[in-house]
Amino acid sequence: MDLDALRHANFKLLDDAVSDWNLLVGHLEDLKKEAEDGLHQAANKADWAGYNAQVSKEFIGKTSGEFSDAHTQAKSIHSILSDTRDELKQHHKDLTAAIDRGEKKRLTVIGYEGGFTVTTNVPPEGRAQGDKDNRSDITALRDELQGILDKATQSDNSANKVLVAIADQAKYGFSDANYKDRDSAAAAVKEAEDLAKIAAKKPEDLTTADFDKINSGLSKYKDDPLFAERFATALGPKKTLEFWEGLNDPVIHSEVGRERLDQLDNLQRNLGLTLASATQSDSAAMAGWKTNMINLGDKPIGPNVSGPMGFQVMSNLMRTGDYDDQFLHDYGTKLMATDRKLTGNGEHATTVWERSGVDPWLNRIGDDSGNDPFTGYLKGLSNSPDAATAFFNDEYVSKEESPFERDSDDENDYKGKVALSNFQYLFEERDWPHERDLHNDDLNTGRNNLALALEAATTGHPAGEQPTIDTPAHNVGQTKLVESLVSSISDNPERLTKNGYMSDSMGQIAAEYMPEIHRALHPGTTGESKLFPTAGSAASFSETDTTRFLYSVGRNPDGYTAVNLGQHSYTTSLMQYHFQHPEAYINDPSFSESDKLKKSIEDIARVSGEVEGTIGAGRAYEAEVEGGAKDAEYNSALEKASTWGGSAIGVGVGLGTAPLTGPGGALVGGLAGTAAEEIIGSITEGAMKDSSGEVIYRNGQDMDGTKESTYQLVEQAAQKAGERAHRPSPMIVSSAATAAEQGFNNAGKNVHDAFDGEGIPRQLEQEN
């Protein structure tokens, strides 16, 4: 900063800007409150259906969020401008005071573009001697002034840097970067640049002190958007990959690997979270970073041409954080293209994705080596539902290039080449690399992460979480995928039963598609959409596919528990809805209101019994094969579910018209205080016993006991739902129990028709 610019600075424009931003912050705070209270919450209470449930409500929610981001960004900008203005005013004051002190010593300061001069204030002919006599005072004043100008320059430059960085964060809309003052924003950017310089060293030159500084810095700033963007772009994609690969290569870096082995997992998490945050930035530098990172995917990383591919390194850093959806999708598209090239369009396995003894151990979170890039990538997708939905529905291989044959639909049953989606290839056809842990036990991390990614892709929220009131209604992409999933497991149940660890995700998916499952098991009637209403796009399952799917999920304790609790939560909430709206299903004027309600509750109870009978049959089969130890696992899963809390099974009616629920099926506010919460507590806490005094659902080998547990619980659900709706009816409660028992018996017949005594689908048995 030039001396005269600061000496003669007019702060009025800057004062006006600070005042204007202060007013804007206040206005945006009001708008934020109005958007949340008047727009967002109103949208959550509105009656949404069809396209509006899929698009309009989500759009309103995002728009409301933009007001919040706008307020956050404006507040940060005001704080930065205010701090900078105050500092520049102080620097101006200090500069003026220093010049005044110099004048008292007969020193004058002359400013010019690019610098200034301090000289003695005497006539020109005596100035040389005067400067010689006052050399120490001149030097002291010059240094003081330069120090002030350096501070002012730093204030001005750092403000410019962080303001531009904040503006660059969001190409459209606003950034949620939140800073209380300029110094905190500037410190984040400086720390990012400093750490990037350290990480950019040759891996063999990194010290344990460097490791500690990087890990500590990333841990502190991993959620800071300015830090994340600046660190990633300053380091660059190639150096990012070389950094992580080099740290884990014992040939290159045995010292850090040995002395910081127990901290590599934390560094992997922190680095992954930082990069994920960085990808959310819309800056031009970050756009280039994303493109270049994808281009490095099929290139070797490290000092050797045989080093791991970029995909193998980067995918392990995707295991933590929420990466930008478009980046994830583009990355996955290139990854699948690389896989097709290496496997002959998926026809055979590739040793490239398998670890040899000299390869670096690229994953430090969990037991798998990280050599298979799909393992980490799928974990990343499990945190990004929209990207997961798009990825799984994409085509993997066209019919013309496909090596895969399937039965055609013609009468000759001719096997022909078929196109496969990414879902079909990964779930049905891929030859997954074989890995074992240090105890020589089989590892299935890749397939388990596939299940988690499918959970996110079909439900619309990150895997392992429950839907909330803001979770959008299911869209066409999600329902298309879940239809393929259910059909695939029905065609070959071993895709699930031989990989039982995937069943917890399958059970959660089933719990969130209860309306469609109930429709499938209530075929041949009109008005199913009124009996089992849902918002958004509705999936369509056949009765046979649904039976096989539920039976297969029920053969795993965690899958059984999710469906059991999801079904009872859904049934209880649905009954309460129909008690409150007795005309919703039957609108025939010849029916009395009581008859309408009785018919609705009976039909719901019957399908409820059928769901429980189907998963109960799967549990009984496992108990028969595995004995009492397996049944104990089911009981343990039910007991552990009690720790999930009142919002655990966030599955409800699935439409906006029910006061209990929000679109997508989530109970507003969870289960707390609802009839469904009491029913779930009866199961998980062992609070309810059957007529023989046994705790319900605790003896899976005794199907009669499971049936009794079911109809008693459905009876209790009808009773509590009626009471909550202030419409108690002992007659309807009794008929609900009878209908549930009928449904349970129907399930036995359906399972018998679908499977033989060894759990093999009957048409597959005939083919063999």
Side-chain angles (χ1 to χ4, degrees):
M1 178 174 287
D2 289 343
L3 180 138
D4 283 343
L6 183 60
R7 176 196 275 181
H8 303 301
N10 181 355
F11 290 98
K12 184 178 184 308
L13 291 177
L14 192 51
D15 286 335
D16 290 344
V18 171
S19 297
D20 289 345
W21 277 99
N22 187 49
L23 288 173
L24 182 60
V25 169
H27 290 320
L28 286 172
E29 186 169 11
D30 293 338
L31 288 173
K32 181 184 76 168
K33 188 175 187 305
E34 290 178 14
E36 176 59 30
D37 296 344
L39 188 66
H40 190 195
Q41 292 186 19
N44 284 335
K45 297 175 182 178
D47 293 349
W48 298 103
Y51 188 77
N52 280 329
Q54 296 170 277
V55 178
S56 299
K57 178 179 179 291
E58 183 178 6
F59 173 77
I60 288 173
K62 290 180 177 179
T63 301
S64 176
E66 285 292 332
F67 281 101
S68 178
D69 287 345
H71 174 258
T72 298
Q73 183 169 328
K75 192 174 180 181
S76 294
I77 291 173
H78 172 260
S79 297
I80 293 167
L81 286 175
S82 179
D83 282 353
T84 305
R85 186 269 314 268
D86 293 345
E87 287 184 5
L88 289 176
K89 281 187 173 182
Q90 185 61 49
H91 297 322
H92 167 77
K93 182 178 179 181
D94 293 343
L95 184 77
T96 303
I99 292 173
D100 289 344
R101 288 196 304 273
E103 288 178 348
K104 292 178 181 178
K105 296 181 179 181
R106 300 183 67 191
L107 301 179
T108 187
V109 179
I110 304 170
Y112 55 86
E113 185 175 352
F116 66 93
T117 297
V118 180
T119 186
T120 306
N121 188 13
V122 296
E125 60 272 16
R127 190 167 298 164
Q129 183 61 41
D131 288 351
K132 184 177 180 181
D133 294 340
N134 294 294
R135 181 176 300 170
S136 60
D137 287 340
I138 289 173
T139 300
L141 179 57
R142 182 198 63 199
D143 291 347
E144 182 181 5
L145 295 176
Q146 189 59 55
I148 294 170
L149 291 175
D150 287 344
K151 292 178 182 178
T153 300
Q154 173 62 25
S155 295
D156 189 43
N157 288 346
S158 63
N160 176 69
K161 181 181 286 188
V162 296
L163 287 171
V164 170
I166 289 174
D168 285 347
Q169 283 297 101
K171 184 176 181 181
Y172 304 105
F174 303 93
S175 165
D176 62 353
N178 186 12
Y179 300 97
K180 63 180 180 180
D181 51 44
R182 193 211 62 231
D183 287 347
S184 61
V189 172
K190 184 178 186 304
E191 181 75 355
E193 293 171 345
D194 291 345
L195 294 182
K197 288 179 183 178
I198 298 173
K201 289 182 179 181
K202 291 182 179 180
E204 57 267 29
D205 294 338
L206 285 167
T207 65
T208 52
D210 291 334
F211 180 99
D212 293 341
K213 187 169 184 179
I214 292 172
N215 199 20
S216 175
L218 294 180
S219 176
K220 178 179 179 181
Y221 285 105
K222 60 183 179 292
D223 297 322
D224 186 300
L226 293 193
F227 170 88
E229 189 274 346
R230 188 55 54 93
F231 175 81
T233 55
L235 182 57
K238 190 170 188 292
K239 286 292 186 179
T240 299
L241 299 177
E242 290 175 347
F243 168 71
W244 184 246
E245 189 275 340
L247 276 180
N248 291 282
D249 191 332
V251 176
I252 297 176
H253 221 301
S254 59
E255 178 189 351
V256 170
R258 181 178 62 254
E259 297 188 17
R260 294 295 183 268
L261 181 63
D262 61 337
Q263 296 180 40
L264 282 170
D265 57 342
N266 285 330
L267 178 60
Q268 182 179 348
R269 290 186 184 91
N270 292 331
L271 181 55
L273 289 166
T274 300
L275 296 178
S277 177
T279 63
Q280 301 294 339
S281 171
D282 289 336
S283 72
M286 199 63 222
W289 187 96
K290 296 173 189 176
T291 299
N292 292 331
M293 178 61 79
I294 293 170
N295 290 337
L296 288 168
D298 57 358
K299 308 294 190 301
I301 302 300
N304 302 316
V305 294
S306 60
M309 287 187 185
F311 284 128
Q312 293 174 287
V313 182
M314 183 61 206
S315 289
N316 285 293
L317 301 177
M318 290 180 163
R319 296 180 188 234
T320 56
D322 179 12
Y323 280 79
D324 172 65
D325 287 344
Q326 190 60 53
F327 170 67
L328 275 179
H329 186 260
D330 293 344
Y331 182 98
T333 299
K334 179 70 177 293
L335 174 59
M336 297 306 274
T338 303
D339 184 81
R340 285 194 299 274
K341 182 178 178 180
L342 294 171
T343 63
N345 289 330
E347 186 174 13
H348 52 76
T350 175
T351 57
V352 173
W353 301 145
E354 294 183 355
R355 183 178 182 274
S356 67
V358 297
D359 291 333
W361 199 275
L362 295 170
N363 174 48
R364 300 293 173 171
I365 304 174
D367 294 325
D368 68 283
S369 68
N371 257 55
D372 182 2
F374 285 94
T375 303
Y377 174 66
L378 289 167
K379 186 64 174 68
L381 284 182
S382 74
N383 297 323
S384 302
D386 291 343
T389 305
F391 170 78
F392 283 120
N393 281 320
D394 280 350
E395 183 179 80
Y396 172 72
V397 65
S398 67
K399 180 178 180 180
E400 292 72 24
E401 297 179 328
S402 177
F404 302 103
E405 293 184 343
R406 300 284 175 91
D407 290 343
S408 66
D409 294 330
D410 66 31
E411 60 184 10
N412 296 319
D413 196 30
Y414 170 72
K415 286 185 178 293
K417 302 290 187 181
V418 293
L420 293 186
S421 66
N422 286 342
F423 159 72
Q424 289 172 308
Y425 169 66
L426 293 172
F427 191 73
E428 301 173 356
E429 300 292 350
R430 186 177 191 238
D431 192 347
W432 289 78
H434 187 252
E435 279 201 294
R436 293 181 182 273
D437 63 17
L438 297 178
H439 304 290
N440 205 36
D441 293 328
D442 287 337
L443 284 175
N444 300 293
T445 313
R447 285 192 182 92
N448 192 52
N449 287 352
L450 170 61
L452 293 173
L454 287 169
E455 180 182 340
T458 54
T459 64
H461 58 77
E465 298 181 8
Q466 295 295 328
T468 69
I469 192 171
D470 289 319
T471 301
H474 296 148
N475 59 41
V476 173
Q478 293 164 352
T479 55
K480 174 186 176 183
L481 180 59
V482 82
E483 287 169 358
S484 297
L485 177 63
V486 170
S487 176
S488 179
I489 293 173
S490 172
D491 287 343
N492 186 357
E494 288 188 347
R495 289 170 178 155
L496 180 59
T497 57
K498 282 195 171 182
N499 304 292
Y501 45 82
M502 303 174 82
S503 295
D504 54 347
S505 289
M506 299 302 113
Q508 184 62 37
I509 292 169
E512 296 190 40
Y513 279 86
M514 276 296 155
E516 290 93 333
I517 285 174
H518 280 62
R519 289 184 187 185
L521 297 178
H522 187 262
T525 63
T526 58
E528 288 167 1
S529 61
K530 296 179 179 179
L531 181 61
F532 307 110
T534 186
S537 177
S540 178
F541 310 133
S542 73
E543 184 176 16
T544 299
D545 283 353
T546 304
T547 297
R548 288 182 180 155
F549 173 72
L550 291 176
Y551 179 86
S552 301
V553 174
R555 289 181 57 180
N556 174 272
D558 292 324
Y560 171 88
T561 296
V563 177
N564 180 298
L565 300 185
Q567 185 284 127
H568 279 298
S569 171
Y570 172 72
T571 292
T572 308
S573 301
L574 185 63
M575 283 183 173
Q576 185 169 341
Y577 166 73
H578 281 286
F579 266 110
Q580 292 168 334
H581 305 86
E583 75 292 341
Y585 175 40
I586 304 294
N587 199 21
D588 188 334
S590 65
F591 279 68
S592 67
E593 186 175 272
S594 178
D595 289 339
K596 292 177 183 178
L597 183 56
K598 181 173 179 292
K599 172 65 173 171
S600 300
I601 301 304
E602 283 179 344
D603 283 8
I604 294 168
R606 189 175 296 107
V607 181
S608 172
E610 194 163 340
V611 173
E612 290 297 330
T614 305
I615 61 172
R619 174 179 175 177
Y621 177 77
E622 286 297 307
E624 179 182 342
V625 172
E626 302 292 339
K630 192 69 174 182
D631 208 39
E633 291 182 31
Y634 281 88
N635 292 335
S636 176
L638 287 170
E639 290 162 3
K640 284 190 298 184
S642 64
T643 64
W644 295 350
S647 61
I649 307 299
V651 182
V653 176
L655 80 167
T657 55
L660 292 171
T661 65
L667 289 169
V668 176
L671 299 179
T674 68
E677 181 189 26
E678 295 184 58
I679 295 300
I680 297 304
S682 295
I683 303 171
T684 61
E685 298 169 17
M688 184 175 177
K689 298 180 179 180
D690 62 24
S691 60
S692 65
E694 296 294 325
V695 175
I696 59 173
Y697 292 124
R698 290 305 193 271
N699 185 356
Q701 292 173 297
D702 181 6
M703 283 295 283
D704 285 339
T706 302
K707 177 167 65 175
E708 185 171 346
S709 294
T710 295
Y711 75 71
Q712 285 194 355
L713 209 58
V714 170
E715 182 179 51
Q716 187 184 52
Q719 177 185 341
K720 292 184 179 299
E723 290 171 352
R724 292 301 176 97
H726 306 292
R727 197 188 293 267
S729 174
M731 177 189 68
I732 292 177
V733 169
S734 177
S735 66
T738 301
E741 188 173 8
Q742 292 172 349
F744 197 98
N745 293 334
N746 292 342
K749 180 180 182 303
N750 290 344
V751 170
H752 178 270
D753 292 343
F755 295 95
D756 68 5
E758 297 182 356
I760 299 175
R762 291 199 178 274
Q763 87 274 16
L764 294 183
E765 177 191 29
Q766 293 166 2
E767 290 171 4
N768 294 333

